[in-house]
Amino acid sequence: MMPSIITKSSCCMKRSRNEVSRWRMLRQAQRRRSRWVEAQSRTYRHLTRLRHIQLKQQRRSLLFSMNMF
């Protein structure tokens, strides 16, 4: 196991403006992507619920029509 060597210059190094802005942009893009995925899953959940309700109604109507005869 190698000991980790941390020098003063590596831990306290000032980041350039470009580097900081690149990190910010990456974080922002990641947040946007996660929000988009969350919204998609919410929409999908809504659609599956609608389909499920529709199937239930179809089954009920079929059962009702079968019992009538």
Side-chain angles (χ1 to χ4, degrees), residues 38-49:
E38 192 182 320
Q40 292 301 309
S41 67
R42 226 180 287 127
T43 305
Y44 182 70
R45 209 178 319 136
H46 176 69
L47 291 173
T48 52
R49 193 172 292 136

Side-chain angles (χ1 to χ4, degrees), residues 57-69:
Q57 285 175 344
Q58 284 175 353
R59 283 191 201 116
R60 277 196 211 118
S61 66
L62 282 171
L63 284 170
F64 184 72
S65 64
M66 294 291 257
N67 288 336
M68 291 296 286
F69 294 112

